[in-house]
Amino acid sequence: MAEVQREVFARLKRMGIPFEALEHAPAYTMEECAAPAHALGALVPKNLFLSPRSHSAYVLLLARPEAPFRTSSVSRQLGLSRLGFGSEEKLWEYLRTRPGAVSPLGLLFDEGHAVRLAVDGRLREEERLAFHPCENTWSVAMRNVDFFSRFLPMLGYAPEWVSLAGEEG
């Protein structure tokens, strides 16, 4: 087990956040996350680390797996210039993870709140959510209420809800 992953598990336990963990083959894509999600009975959101070209801000976007990412819509809702993918260096600096394992559990390491959290409003409808614990060989599932009403507030984060509805097709 990797050091960062051990730290995520330890901090969740200290926070009293109930979770279920599952070890699995490396899962880099949403398709590869389907089996762990099914086994955990949870939805694995698409997690994107974003930044405008100026690199003046960083955003972690959590979206339904099937929701298309329309940079202009999300950028407008967040009041930022056109978003693109953030750098691997900043991803590691702020969230202690790498591409293929991007996770809101990395917010445990963003003590300066350099990263804004944007969340697809429809994720509130899911009973359980699952995320990588900053390593893509494990998945961690927790109840939606534990994630949004306990975990995030304990870290001092309030989601910025965005709408991806009506963008399909």
Side-chain angles (χ1 to χ4, degrees):
M1 190 180 304
E3 180 183 333
V4 172
Q5 179 182 334
R6 276 193 298 273
E7 179 68 15
V8 168
F9 288 167
R11 290 190 61 188
L12 287 172
K13 287 177 185 173
R14 282 196 306 269
M15 294 168 81
I17 305 293
F19 67 93
E20 183 180 351
L22 175 70
E23 187 174 18
H24 51 76
Y28 294 94
T29 67
M30 294 310 301
E31 292 78 19
E32 293 169 333
C33 289
H38 180 73
L40 290 166
L43 179 100
V44 176
K46 186 172 13 178
N47 303 301
L48 304 173
F49 184 67
L50 307 167
S51 179
R53 287 188 185 116
S54 65
H55 305 288
S56 58
Y58 293 91
V59 176
L60 177 60
L61 173 66
L62 280 59
R64 290 166 287 120
E66 73 281 0
F69 170 55
R70 302 282 192 261
T71 185
S72 60
S73 174
V74 174
S75 298
R76 185 175 50 258
Q77 291 177 68
L78 297 176
L80 294 170
S81 62
R82 194 168 182 89
L83 291 168
F85 291 105
S87 73
E88 188 172 337
E89 293 78 22
K90 290 296 183 183
L91 177 59
W92 178 258
E93 178 182 341
Y94 294 134
L95 302 181
R96 302 255 316 264
T97 191
R98 304 275 183 218
V102 177
S103 169
L105 298 180
L107 295 171
L108 286 162
F109 304 106
D110 183 24
E111 294 174 8
H113 289 83
V115 178
R116 292 169 62 178
L117 177 63
V119 180
D120 176 349
R122 290 189 49 201
L123 287 178
R124 290 181 280 207
E125 300 167 10
E126 298 299 325
E127 185 176 324
R128 283 171 50 97
L129 298 171
F131 313 103
H132 291 312
C134 301
E135 294 286 335
N136 68 0
T137 57
W138 284 81
S139 290
V140 171
M142 63 182 70
R143 292 180 324 146
N144 179 316
V145 68
D146 288 326
F147 179 70
F148 288 118
S149 300
R150 294 184 64 206
F151 176 75
L152 292 176
M154 289 174 90
L155 296 180
Y157 274 93
E160 295 180 61
W161 301 103
V162 296
S163 175
L164 303 178
E167 295 185 19
E168 286 83 3

